[in-house]
Coordinates of all heavy atoms in Angstrom, one line a residue:
M1175 N 5.7 0.1 13.0 CA 4.4 0.6 12.7 C 3.3 -0.2 13.3 O 3.3 -1.4 13.1 CB 4.3 0.6 11.1 CG 2.8 0.9 10.7 SD 2.7 0.9 8.9 CE 2.8 2.6 8.6
D1176 N 2.5 0.4 14.0 CA 1.3 -0.3 14.6 C 0.1 -0.2 13.7 O -0.5 0.8 13.6 CB 1.0 0.3 16.0 CG -0.2 -0.3 16.7 OD1 -0.8 -1.2 16.1 OD2 -0.4 0.0 17.8
L1177 N -0.1 -1.3 13.0 CA -1.1 -1.3 11.9 C -2.5 -1.0 12.5 O -3.3 -0.3 11.8 CB -1.1 -2.6 11.2 CG 0.1 -3.0 10.4 CD1 0.0 -4.3 9.6 CD2 0.6 -1.9 9.5
L1178 N -2.9 -1.6 13.6 CA -4.2 -1.3 14.2 C -4.4 0.2 14.5 O -5.5 0.7 14.3 CB -4.4 -2.2 15.4 CG -4.6 -3.7 15.1 CD1 -4.7 -4.5 16.4 CD2 -5.7 -4.0 14.2
T1179 N -3.4 0.8 15.1 CA -3.5 2.2 15.4 C -3.7 3.0 14.1 O -4.5 3.9 14.1 CB -2.2 2.7 16.1 OG1 -2.1 2.0 17.3 CG2 -2.2 4.2 16.4
W1180 N -2.9 2.7 13.1 CA -3.1 3.4 11.8 C -4.5 3.1 11.2 O -5.1 4.1 10.7 CB -2.1 2.9 10.8 CG -0.8 3.7 10.8 CD1 0.3 3.4 11.5 CD2 -0.6 5.0 10.3 NE1 1.2 4.4 11.3 CE2 0.7 5.4 10.6 CE3 -1.4 5.8 9.5 CZ2 1.2 6.6 10.2 CZ3 -0.9 7.1 9.1 CH2 0.4 7.4 9.5
Q1181 N -5.0 1.9 11.3 CA -6.4 1.6 10.8 C -7.4 2.4 11.6 O -8.3 2.9 11.0 CB -6.6 0.1 10.9 CG -5.9 -0.6 9.8 CD -6.0 -2.1 10.0 OE1 -5.9 -2.7 11.1 NE2 -6.2 -2.8 8.9
R1182 N -7.2 2.6 12.9 CA -8.2 3.4 13.7 C -8.1 4.9 13.3 O -9.1 5.5 13.1 CB -7.9 3.2 15.2 CG -8.3 1.9 15.7 CD -8.1 1.9 17.3 NE -8.0 0.5 17.7 CZ -6.9 -0.1 18.1 NH1 -5.8 0.6 18.2 NH2 -6.9 -1.4 18.4
R1183 N -6.9 5.4 13.1 CA -6.7 6.7 12.6 C -7.4 7.0 11.3 O -8.1 8.0 11.0 CB -5.2 7.1 12.5 CG -4.5 7.4 13.8 CD -3.1 7.7 13.6 NE -3.0 9.0 12.9 CZ -1.8 9.5 12.4 NH1 -0.7 8.8 12.5 NH2 -1.8 10.6 11.8
L1184 N -7.2 6.0 10.3 CA -7.8 6.1 9.0 C -9.3 6.1 9.1 O -10.0 6.8 8.4 CB -7.2 5.1 8.1 CG -5.8 5.2 7.8 CD1 -5.2 4.0 7.0 CD2 -5.5 6.5 6.9
A1185 N -9.8 5.2 10.0 CA -11.3 5.1 10.1 C -11.9 6.4 10.6 O -12.9 6.9 10.2 CB -11.6 3.9 11.0
L1186 N -11.2 7.0 11.6 CA -11.7 8.3 12.2 C -11.6 9.4 11.1 O -12.5 10.2 11.0 CB -10.8 8.7 13.4 CG -11.1 10.0 14.0 CD1 -12.6 10.0 14.6 CD2 -10.1 10.3 15.2
F1187 N -10.5 9.4 10.4 CA -10.3 10.4 9.3 C -11.5 10.3 8.3 O -12.1 11.3 7.9 CB -9.0 10.1 8.6 CG -8.6 11.2 7.6 CD1 -7.9 12.3 7.9 CD2 -8.9 11.0 6.2 CE1 -7.5 13.2 7.0 CE2 -8.6 11.9 5.3 CZ -7.9 13.1 5.7
A1188 N -11.8 9.1 7.9 CA -12.9 8.8 6.9 C -14.2 9.2 7.6 O -15.1 9.8 6.9 CB -12.9 7.4 6.5
A1189 N -14.5 8.8 8.8 CA -15.7 9.1 9.5 C -16.0 10.6 9.6 O -17.1 11.1 9.4 CB -15.8 8.5 10.9
E1190 N -14.9 11.4 9.9 CA -15.0 12.8 10.0 C -15.4 13.5 8.7 O -15.9 14.6 8.7 CB -13.7 13.4 10.5 CG -13.4 13.1 11.9 CD -11.9 13.5 12.3 OE1 -11.1 13.7 11.5 OE2 -11.7 13.5 13.6
R1191 N -15.2 12.8 7.6 CA -15.5 13.3 6.3 C -16.7 12.7 5.6 O -17.1 13.0 4.5 CB -14.3 13.2 5.4 CG -13.2 14.2 5.8 CD -11.8 13.7 5.5 NE -10.8 14.7 5.9 CZ -10.4 14.8 7.2 NH1 -10.8 13.9 8.1 NH2 -9.5 15.7 7.5
G1192 N -17.3 11.7 6.4 CA -18.5 11.0 5.8 C -18.2 10.1 4.7 O -19.1 9.8 3.8
W1193 N -17.0 9.5 4.7 CA -16.6 8.7 3.6 C -16.9 7.2 3.8 O -16.7 6.4 2.8 CB -15.1 8.8 3.3 CG -14.6 10.1 2.8 CD1 -15.4 11.2 2.4 CD2 -13.3 10.6 2.8 NE1 -14.6 12.2 2.0 CE2 -13.3 11.9 2.2 CE3 -12.0 10.0 3.1 CZ2 -12.1 12.6 2.0 CZ3 -10.9 10.7 2.9 CH2 -10.9 12.0 2.3
E1194 N -17.5 6.8 4.9 CA -17.7 5.4 5.2 C -18.5 4.6 4.1 O -18.1 3.5 3.8 CB -18.4 5.2 6.6 CG -17.6 5.7 7.7 CD -18.1 7.0 8.2 OE1 -18.6 7.8 7.3 OE2 -18.0 7.3 9.4
P1195 N -19.5 5.3 3.5 CA -20.3 4.5 2.5 C -19.4 4.1 1.3 O -19.8 3.1 0.6 CB -21.4 5.5 2.1 CG -21.5 6.5 3.2 CD -20.1 6.6 3.8
Y1196 N -18.3 4.8 1.1 CA -17.5 4.5 -0.1 C -16.4 3.5 0.2 O -15.7 3.0 -0.7 CB -16.9 5.8 -0.6 CG -17.9 6.9 -0.8 CD1 -18.0 7.9 0.0 CD2 -18.9 6.8 -1.9 CE1 -19.0 8.9 -0.1 CE2 -19.8 7.7 -2.1 CZ -19.9 8.8 -1.2 OH -20.9 9.8 -1.4
L1197 N -16.2 3.2 1.5 CA -15.1 2.4 1.9 C -15.6 0.9 2.0 O -15.8 0.3 3.0 CB -14.5 2.8 3.2 CG -13.9 4.2 3.2 CD1 -13.3 4.6 4.6 CD2 -12.9 4.4 2.1
N1198 N -15.7 0.3 0.8 CA -16.1 -1.1 0.7 C -15.0 -1.8 -0.1 O -14.2 -1.2 -0.8 CB -17.5 -1.3 0.1 CG -17.5 -0.7 -1.3 OD1 -16.9 -1.2 -2.3 ND2 -18.2 0.4 -1.5
P1199 N -14.9 -3.1 0.0 CA -13.8 -3.8 -0.6 C -13.7 -3.6 -2.1 O -12.6 -3.4 -2.6 CB -14.2 -5.3 -0.3 CG -14.9 -5.3 1.0 CD -15.7 -4.0 0.9
K1200 N -14.8 -3.5 -2.8 CA -14.7 -3.2 -4.3 C -14.1 -1.9 -4.6 O -13.2 -1.8 -5.3 CB -16.1 -3.3 -4.9 CG -16.1 -3.0 -6.4 CD -17.5 -2.7 -7.0 CE -18.0 -1.4 -6.6 NZ -17.5 -0.3 -7.4
N1201 N -14.6 -0.8 -3.9 CA -14.1 0.5 -4.2 C -12.6 0.6 -3.7 O -11.8 1.3 -4.4 CB -14.9 1.6 -3.4 CG -16.3 1.8 -4.1 OD1 -16.6 1.3 -5.1 ND2 -17.1 2.6 -3.4
L1202 N -12.3 0.0 -2.6 CA -11.0 0.1 -2.1 C -10.0 -0.7 -3.0 O -8.9 -0.2 -3.2 CB -10.9 -0.4 -0.6 CG -11.5 0.6 0.4 CD1 -11.7 -0.1 1.7 CD2 -10.7 1.8 0.5
A1203 N -10.4 -1.8 -3.5 CA -9.5 -2.5 -4.4 C -9.3 -1.7 -5.7 O -8.1 -1.7 -6.2 CB -10.2 -3.9 -4.8
M1204 N -10.3 -1.1 -6.2 CA -10.1 -0.2 -7.4 C -9.2 0.9 -7.1 O -8.3 1.3 -7.9 CB -11.5 0.2 -7.9 CG -12.3 -0.9 -8.5 SD -13.8 -0.4 -9.4 CE -14.5 0.8 -8.3
A1205 N -9.4 1.6 -6.0 CA -8.6 2.7 -5.6 C -7.1 2.3 -5.4 O -6.2 3.0 -5.8 CB -9.1 3.4 -4.3
L1206 N -6.9 1.1 -4.8 CA -5.6 0.6 -4.6 C -4.9 0.4 -5.9 O -3.7 0.7 -6.1 CB -5.7 -0.7 -3.8 CG -4.4 -1.4 -3.4 CD1 -3.5 -0.5 -2.6 CD2 -4.7 -2.6 -2.6
S1207 N -5.6 -0.2 -6.9 CA -5.1 -0.4 -8.2 C -4.7 0.9 -8.9 O -3.6 1.0 -9.5 CB -6.1 -1.1 -9.0 OG -5.7 -1.3 -10.4
V1208 N -5.5 1.9 -8.7 CA -5.2 3.2 -9.3 C -3.9 3.8 -8.7 O -3.1 4.3 -9.4 CB -6.4 4.2 -9.2 CG1 -6.0 5.6 -9.6 CG2 -7.6 3.7 -10.1
E1209 N -3.9 3.8 -7.4 CA -2.7 4.3 -6.7 C -1.4 3.6 -7.0 O -0.4 4.1 -7.2 CB -2.9 4.4 -5.2 CG -4.0 5.3 -4.8 CD -3.9 6.8 -5.2 OE1 -2.7 7.2 -5.5 OE2 -4.9 7.5 -5.3
T1210 N -1.5 2.2 -7.2 CA -0.4 1.4 -7.6 C 0.1 1.8 -9.0 O 1.3 2.0 -9.3 CB -0.7 -0.1 -7.5 OG1 -1.1 -0.4 -6.2 CG2 0.5 -0.9 -7.9
A1211 N -0.9 2.1 -9.9 CA -0.6 2.5 -11.2 C 0.1 3.9 -11.2 O 1.1 4.1 -12.0 CB -1.8 2.5 -12.1
E1212 N -0.3 4.7 -10.3 CA 0.3 6.1 -10.2 C 1.8 5.9 -9.7 O 2.6 6.7 -10.1 CB -0.5 7.0 -9.3 CG -1.8 7.4 -10.0 CD -2.7 8.3 -9.1 OE1 -2.3 8.6 -8.0 OE2 -3.8 8.6 -9.6
L1213 N 2.0 5.0 -8.8 CA 3.4 4.7 -8.3 C 4.2 4.2 -9.5 O 5.3 4.7 -9.7 CB 3.3 3.7 -7.2 CG 4.7 3.2 -6.7 CD1 5.5 4.4 -6.1 CD2 4.5 2.2 -5.6
V1214 N 3.7 3.3 -10.3 CA 4.4 2.8 -11.5 C 4.7 3.9 -12.4 O 5.8 4.0 -13.0 CB 3.6 1.7 -12.2 CG1 4.2 1.3 -13.5 CG2 3.5 0.5 -11.3
E1215 N 3.8 4.8 -12.6 CA 4.0 6.0 -13.5 C 5.2 6.8 -13.1 O 5.9 7.4 -14.0 CB 2.7 6.8 -13.5 CG 2.7 7.9 -14.5 CD 1.5 8.8 -14.5 OE1 0.8 8.8 -13.5 OE2 1.1 9.3 -15.6
C1216 N 5.5 6.9 -11.8 CA 6.7 7.7 -11.4 C 8.0 7.1 -12.0 O 8.9 7.9 -12.1 CB 6.8 7.6 -9.8 SG 5.4 8.5 -8.9
F1217 N 8.0 5.9 -12.3 CA 9.2 5.2 -12.8 C 9.1 4.9 -14.3 O 10.1 4.3 -14.8 CB 9.4 3.9 -12.0 CG 9.7 4.2 -10.6 CD1 8.7 4.0 -9.6 CD2 11.0 4.5 -10.1 CE1 9.0 4.2 -8.3 CE2 11.3 4.7 -8.8 CZ 10.3 4.6 -7.9
Q1218 N 8.0 5.2 -14.9 CA 7.7 4.7 -16.3 C 8.8 4.8 -17.3 O 9.1 3.9 -18.0 CB 6.4 5.4 -16.8 CG 6.0 4.8 -18.1 CD 4.6 5.4 -18.5 OE1 4.1 6.4 -17.9 NE2 4.0 4.9 -19.5
W1219 N 9.4 5.9 -17.4 CA 10.4 6.1 -18.5 C 11.8 6.3 -17.9 O 12.7 6.7 -18.6 CB 10.1 7.4 -19.3 CG 8.7 7.3 -19.9 CD1 7.6 8.0 -19.6 CD2 8.3 6.3 -20.9 NE1 6.5 7.6 -20.3 CE2 6.9 6.5 -21.1 CE3 8.9 5.2 -21.5 CZ2 6.1 5.8 -22.0 CZ3 8.1 4.5 -22.4 CH2 6.8 4.8 -22.6
L1220 N 12.0 5.9 -16.7 CA 13.4 6.0 -16.1 C 14.2 4.7 -16.3 O 13.6 3.6 -16.4 CB 13.3 6.2 -14.6 CG 12.5 7.4 -14.1 CD1 12.5 7.5 -12.6 CD2 13.1 8.7 -14.7
S1221 N 15.4 4.8 -16.5 CA 16.3 3.7 -16.5 C 16.4 3.1 -15.1 O 16.1 3.8 -14.1 CB 17.7 4.1 -17.0 OG 18.4 4.9 -16.0
P1222 N 16.9 1.9 -14.9 CA 17.1 1.4 -13.6 C 18.0 2.3 -12.7 O 17.8 2.5 -11.5 CB 17.7 0.0 -13.8 CG 17.2 -0.4 -15.1 CD 17.1 0.8 -15.9
E1223 N 19.0 2.8 -13.4 CA 20.0 3.7 -12.7 C 19.3 5.0 -12.2 O 19.5 5.5 -11.1 CB 21.2 4.1 -13.6 CG 22.0 2.8 -13.9 CD 21.4 2.0 -15.0 OE1 20.6 2.4 -15.8 OE2 21.8 0.8 -15.1
E1224 N 18.4 5.6 -13.1 CA 17.7 6.8 -12.7 C 16.7 6.5 -11.6 O 16.5 7.3 -10.7 CB 17.0 7.4 -14.0 CG 17.9 7.9 -15.0 CD 17.2 8.2 -16.3 OE1 16.2 7.5 -16.7 OE2 17.6 9.2 -17.0
A1225 N 16.1 5.4 -11.7 CA 15.1 5.0 -10.7 C 15.7 4.8 -9.3 O 15.1 5.1 -8.3 CB 14.4 3.7 -11.1
A1226 N 17.0 4.4 -9.3 CA 17.7 4.2 -8.0 C 18.3 5.5 -7.5 O 18.7 5.6 -6.3 CB 18.8 3.2 -8.2
A1227 N 18.2 6.6 -8.3 CA 18.8 7.9 -7.9 C 17.8 9.0 -8.1 O 18.1 9.9 -8.9 CB 20.1 8.1 -8.6
L1228 N 16.7 9.0 -7.5 CA 15.7 10.0 -7.7 C 16.1 11.3 -7.2 O 16.7 11.5 -6.2 CB 14.4 9.5 -7.0 CG 13.7 8.2 -7.5 CD1 12.5 7.9 -6.6 CD2 13.3 8.3 -9.0
E1229 N 15.6 12.3 -8.0 CA 15.7 13.7 -7.6 C 14.8 14.0 -6.4 O 13.8 13.2 -6.3 CB 15.4 14.7 -8.7 CG 16.3 14.5 -9.9 CD 17.7 15.0 -9.6 OE1 17.9 15.9 -8.8 OE2 18.7 14.4 -10.2
P1230 N 15.0 15.0 -5.6 CA 14.1 15.2 -4.4 C 12.6 15.3 -4.8 O 11.8 14.7 -4.1 CB 14.6 16.5 -3.8 CG 16.1 16.5 -4.2 CD 16.1 15.9 -5.6
A1231 N 12.3 16.0 -5.9 CA 10.8 16.1 -6.3 C 10.3 14.8 -6.7 O 9.1 14.4 -6.4 CB 10.7 17.1 -7.4
Q1232 N 11.1 14.0 -7.4 CA 10.6 12.6 -7.8 C 10.4 11.7 -6.6 O 9.5 11.0 -6.5 CB 11.7 12.0 -8.7 CG 11.8 12.6 -10.1 CD 13.0 12.1 -10.8 OE1 14.1 12.1 -10.3 NE2 12.8 11.6 -12.0
R1233 N 11.4 11.8 -5.6 CA 11.3 11.0 -4.4 C 10.1 11.4 -3.6 O 9.4 10.5 -3.1 CB 12.6 11.3 -3.6 CG 12.8 10.4 -2.4 CD 14.2 10.6 -1.9 NE 14.3 9.9 -0.6 CZ 14.5 8.6 -0.5 NH1 14.6 7.9 -1.6 NH2 14.6 8.0 0.7
E1234 N 9.7 12.7 -3.6 CA 8.5 13.1 -2.9 C 7.3 12.5 -3.5 O 6.3 12.1 -2.8 CB 8.4 14.6 -2.8 CG 7.2 15.1 -2.0 CD 7.1 16.6 -1.9 OE1 8.1 17.3 -2.4 OE2 6.1 17.1 -1.5
A1235 N 7.2 12.5 -4.9 CA 6.1 12.0 -5.6 C 6.0 10.5 -5.3 O 4.9 10.0 -5.1 CB 6.2 12.3 -7.1
V1236 N 7.1 9.8 -5.3 CA 7.1 8.3 -5.0 C 6.6 8.1 -3.6 O 5.8 7.2 -3.4 CB 8.5 7.7 -5.3 CG1 8.6 6.3 -4.7 CG2 8.8 7.7 -6.8
A1237 N 7.1 8.9 -2.7 CA 6.6 8.8 -1.3 C 5.1 9.0 -1.1 O 4.4 8.2 -0.4 CB 7.4 9.7 -0.4
D1238 N 4.6 10.0 -1.8 CA 3.2 10.2 -1.8 C 2.4 9.1 -2.3 O 1.4 8.7 -1.7 CB 2.8 11.5 -2.6 CG 3.2 12.8 -1.9 OD1 3.5 12.8 -0.7 OD2 3.1 13.8 -2.6
E1239 N 2.8 8.5 -3.4 CA 2.1 7.4 -4.0 C 2.2 6.1 -3.2 O 1.2 5.4 -3.0 CB 2.6 7.1 -5.5 CG 2.3 8.2 -6.4 CD 0.9 8.7 -6.4 OE1 -0.1 8.0 -6.1 OE2 0.7 9.9 -6.8
M1240 N 3.4 5.9 -2.6 CA 3.5 4.8 -1.7 C 2.6 4.9 -0.5 O 2.0 3.9 0.0 CB 5.0 4.6 -1.3 CG 5.9 4.2 -2.4 SD 7.7 4.2 -1.9 CE 7.7 2.9 -0.7
A1241 N 2.5 6.1 0.0 CA 1.6 6.4 1.2 C 0.2 6.1 0.8 O -0.6 5.5 1.6 CB 1.8 7.8 1.7
D1242 N -0.2 6.5 -0.4 CA -1.6 6.3 -0.8 C -1.9 4.8 -0.9 O -2.9 4.3 -0.5 CB -1.9 6.9 -2.2 CG -2.0 8.4 -2.2 OD1 -2.3 8.9 -1.1 OD2 -1.8 9.0 -3.2
V1243 N -0.9 4.0 -1.5 CA -1.1 2.5 -1.6 C -1.2 1.9 -0.2 O -2.1 1.1 0.1 CB 0.1 1.9 -2.3 CG1 0.2 0.4 -2.2 CG2 0.1 2.3 -3.8
L1244 N -0.4 2.4 0.8 CA -0.4 1.8 2.1 C -1.8 2.2 2.8 O -2.4 1.3 3.4 CB 0.7 2.4 2.9 CG 0.8 2.0 4.4 CD1 0.9 0.4 4.5 CD2 1.9 2.7 5.1
I1245 N -2.2 3.4 2.6 CA -3.4 3.9 3.2 C -4.6 3.0 2.7 O -5.5 2.6 3.5 CB -3.7 5.4 3.0 CG1 -2.7 6.2 3.9 CG2 -5.1 5.8 3.3 CD1 -2.6 7.6 3.6
Y1246 N -4.7 2.9 1.4 CA -5.8 2.1 0.9 C -5.7 0.6 1.3 O -6.7 0.0 1.6 CB -5.9 2.2 -0.7 CG -6.6 3.4 -1.1 CD1 -5.9 4.4 -1.9 CD2 -7.9 3.7 -0.8 CE1 -6.6 5.6 -2.3 CE2 -8.6 4.8 -1.2 CZ -7.9 5.8 -1.9 OH -8.5 6.9 -2.3
L1247 N -4.5 0.1 1.3 CA -4.4 -1.3 1.8 C -4.8 -1.5 3.2 O -5.5 -2.5 3.6 CB -2.9 -1.8 1.6 CG -2.6 -3.2 1.9 CD1 -3.4 -4.2 1.0 CD2 -1.1 -3.5 1.8
L1248 N -4.4 -0.6 4.1 CA -4.8 -0.6 5.5 C -6.3 -0.5 5.6 O -7.0 -1.2 6.4 CB -4.1 0.5 6.3 CG -2.6 0.2 6.5 CD1 -2.0 1.5 7.2 CD2 -2.4 -1.0 7.4
Q1249 N -6.9 0.4 4.8 CA -8.4 0.5 4.9 C -9.1 -0.8 4.4 O -10.1 -1.2 5.0 CB -8.9 1.7 4.0 CG -8.5 3.1 4.5 CD -9.5 3.5 5.6 OE1 -10.0 2.8 6.4 NE2 -9.8 4.8 5.6
M1250 N -8.5 -1.4 3.3 CA -9.1 -2.6 2.8 C -9.0 -3.7 3.8 O -10.0 -4.5 4.0 CB -8.4 -3.0 1.5 CG -9.2 -4.1 0.8 SD -8.6 -4.2 -0.9 CE -9.6 -5.5 -1.5
A1251 N -7.9 -3.8 4.5 CA -7.7 -4.8 5.5 C -8.7 -4.6 6.7 O -9.3 -5.6 7.2 CB -6.3 -4.8 6.1
R1252 N -8.9 -3.4 7.0 CA -9.9 -3.1 8.1 C -11.3 -3.5 7.7 O -12.0 -4.1 8.5 CB -9.8 -1.6 8.4 CG -10.7 -1.2 9.6 CD -10.6 0.3 9.9 NE -11.1 1.1 8.8 CZ -12.3 1.3 8.4 NH1 -13.3 0.8 9.2 NH2 -12.7 2.1 7.4
V1253 N -11.7 -3.1 6.6 CA -13.1 -3.4 6.2 C -13.4 -4.8 5.9 O -14.5 -5.3 6.0 CB -13.7 -2.5 5.1 CG1 -13.6 -1.0 5.4 CG2 -13.0 -2.8 3.7
T1254 N -12.3 -5.6 5.5 CA -12.5 -7.0 5.3 C -12.2 -7.9 6.5 O -12.5 -9.1 6.5 CB -11.6 -7.5 4.1 OG1 -10.2 -7.2 4.5 CG2 -11.9 -6.8 2.8
G1255 N -11.7 -7.2 7.5 CA -11.4 -8.0 8.7 C -10.1 -8.9 8.6 O -10.0 -9.8 9.3
I1256 N -9.3 -8.5 7.6 CA -8.1 -9.3 7.4 C -6.9 -8.7 8.3 O -6.6 -7.5 8.2 CB -7.7 -9.4 5.9 CG1 -8.8 -10.2 5.2 CG2 -6.3 -10.0 5.7 CD1 -8.6 -10.2 3.7
D1257 N -6.3 -9.6 9.0 CA -5.1 -9.2 9.8 C -3.9 -9.2 8.9 O -3.4 -10.3 8.5 CB -4.9 -10.2 11.0 CG -3.7 -9.9 11.8 OD1 -2.8 -9.3 11.4 OD2 -3.7 -10.4 13.0
L1258 N -3.4 -8.1 8.5 CA -2.3 -8.0 7.5 C -1.0 -8.6 8.0 O -0.3 -9.2 7.3 CB -2.1 -6.5 7.2 CG -2.9 -5.9 6.0 CD1 -2.6 -4.5 5.8 CD2 -2.7 -6.7 4.8
E1259 N -0.8 -8.4 9.3 CA 0.5 -9.0 9.9 C 0.4 -10.5 9.8 O 1.4 -11.2 9.3 CB 0.7 -8.5 11.3 CG 1.1 -7.1 11.4 CD 1.3 -6.6 12.8 OE1 0.4 -6.4 13.5 OE2 2.5 -6.5 13.1
A1260 N -0.7 -11.1 10.1 CA -0.9 -12.6 10.1 C -0.8 -13.0 8.6 O -0.2 -14.1 8.3 CB -2.2 -13.0 10.8
A1261 N -1.5 -12.3 7.7 CA -1.5 -12.7 6.3 C -0.1 -12.6 5.7 O 0.3 -13.5 5.0 CB -2.4 -11.7 5.5
A1262 N 0.7 -11.6 6.1 CA 2.1 -11.5 5.6 C 2.9 -12.6 6.1 O 3.8 -13.2 5.4 CB 2.7 -10.1 6.0
E1263 N 2.8 -12.9 7.4 CA 3.5 -14.0 8.0 C 3.2 -15.3 7.3 O 4.1 -16.1 6.9 CB 3.3 -14.2 9.5 CG 3.9 -13.1 10.3 CD 5.4 -13.2 10.5 OE1 6.0 -14.2 10.1 OE2 6.0 -12.2 10.9
A1264 N 1.9 -15.6 7.0 CA 1.5 -16.8 6.4 C 2.0 -16.9 4.9 O 2.5 -17.9 4.5 CB 0.0 -16.9 6.4
K1265 N 2.0 -15.7 4.2 CA 2.5 -15.7 2.9 C 4.0 -15.9 2.8 O 4.5 -16.6 1.9 CB 2.1 -14.4 2.2 CG 2.5 -14.2 0.8 CD 1.8 -15.3 -0.1 CE 2.1 -15.1 -1.6 NZ 1.5 -16.0 -2.4
L1266 N 4.7 -15.3 3.7 CA 6.1 -15.5 3.7 C 6.5 -17.0 4.0 O 7.4 -17.5 3.4 CB 6.8 -14.6 4.8 CG 8.3 -14.5 4.8 CD1 8.9 -14.1 3.5 CD2 8.8 -13.6 5.9
A1267 N 5.7 -17.6 4.9 CA 6.0 -19.1 5.1 C 5.7 -19.9 3.9 O 6.4 -20.8 3.5 CB 5.1 -19.5 6.3
K1268 N 4.6 -19.5 3.2 CA 4.3 -20.2 1.9 C 5.4 -20.0 0.9 O 5.8 -21.0 0.2 CB 3.0 -19.7 1.3 CG 1.7 -20.2 2.0 CD 0.5 -19.5 1.3 CE -0.8 -19.8 2.1 NZ -1.9 -19.1 1.5
N1269 N 5.9 -18.8 0.8 CA 6.9 -18.5 -0.2 C 8.2 -19.2 0.2 O 9.0 -19.7 -0.7 CB 7.2 -17.0 -0.3 CG 6.1 -16.3 -1.1 OD1 5.3 -16.9 -1.7 ND2 6.1 -15.0 -1.0
A1270 N 8.5 -19.4 1.5 CA 9.7 -20.1 1.9 C 9.6 -21.6 1.5 O 10.6 -22.2 1.1 CB 9.9 -20.0 3.4
R1271 N 8.4 -22.1 1.6 CA 8.3 -23.5 1.1 C 8.3 -23.7 -0.4 O 8.9 -24.6 -0.9 CB 6.9 -24.1 1.7 CG 6.9 -24.4 3.1 CD 5.7 -25.1 3.6 NE 4.4 -24.4 3.3 CZ 3.9 -23.5 4.0 NH1 4.5 -23.1 5.2 NH2 2.7 -22.9 3.7
K1272 N 7.8 -22.7 -1.1 CA 7.7 -22.7 -2.5 C 9.1 -22.4 -3.1 O 9.4 -23.0 -4.2 CB 6.7 -21.7 -3.0 CG 6.4 -21.8 -4.5 CD 5.2 -20.9 -4.8 CE 4.9 -20.9 -6.3 NZ 3.8 -20.0 -6.6
Y1273 N 9.8 -21.5 -2.5 CA 11.1 -21.1 -3.0 C 12.2 -21.2 -1.9 O 12.6 -20.3 -1.3 CB 11.1 -19.6 -3.4 CG 9.9 -19.3 -4.4 CD1 8.8 -18.6 -4.0 CD2 10.0 -19.7 -5.7 CE1 7.8 -18.3 -4.8 CE2 9.0 -19.4 -6.6 CZ 7.9 -18.7 -6.2 OH 6.8 -18.4 -7.0
P1274 N 12.6 -22.5 -1.7 CA 13.6 -22.7 -0.6 C 14.9 -22.0 -1.0 O 15.3 -21.8 -2.1 CB 13.7 -24.2 -0.6 CG 13.2 -24.7 -1.8 CD 12.2 -23.7 -2.4
A1275 N 15.6 -21.6 0.1 CA 16.9 -20.9 -0.1 C 17.9 -21.9 -0.7 O 17.9 -23.1 -0.3 CB 17.4 -20.4 1.2
S1276 N 18.7 -21.4 -1.5 CA 19.8 -22.2 -2.1 C 20.8 -22.5 -1.0 O 21.2 -21.6 -0.3 CB 20.4 -21.5 -3.3 OG 19.5 -21.3 -4.3
P1277 N 21.4 -23.7 -1.0 CA 22.4 -24.0 0.0 C 23.7 -23.2 -0.3 O 24.0 -22.9 -1.5 CB 22.7 -25.5 -0.2 CG 21.9 -26.0 -1.3 CD 21.0 -24.8 -1.8
S1278 N 24.3 -22.7 0.7 CA 25.6 -22.0 0.5 C 26.7 -22.9 0.0 O 26.8 -24.0 0.4 CB 26.0 -21.4 1.9 OG 25.0 -20.5 2.3
P1279 N 27.5 -22.3 -0.9 CA 28.6 -23.1 -1.4 C 29.7 -23.4 -0.4 O 29.8 -22.9 0.6 CB 29.2 -22.3 -2.6 CG 28.6 -20.9 -2.4 CD 27.5 -21.0 -1.4

């Protein structure tokens, strides 16, 4: 996935609809939170086994919510000027230091 290409596509999509005034970090953070909650809702009353074996309609709903989360995250990265790939690499390195792998037996 080329994140910059996706961000450009999303910026054009928003511009064509006059949505730019609403795409600020505060609004995008709130929208991201709502979409994440909607993703959680897809699994709310499922057992772990049911969650791992979704029916086609459930899987489609989960895919839609995951796409919404990704879209808002990409928009937020664009408007804040944060390089998501670099941020993810840096965070993974921090996590590796914080949680070192256990030695193999």
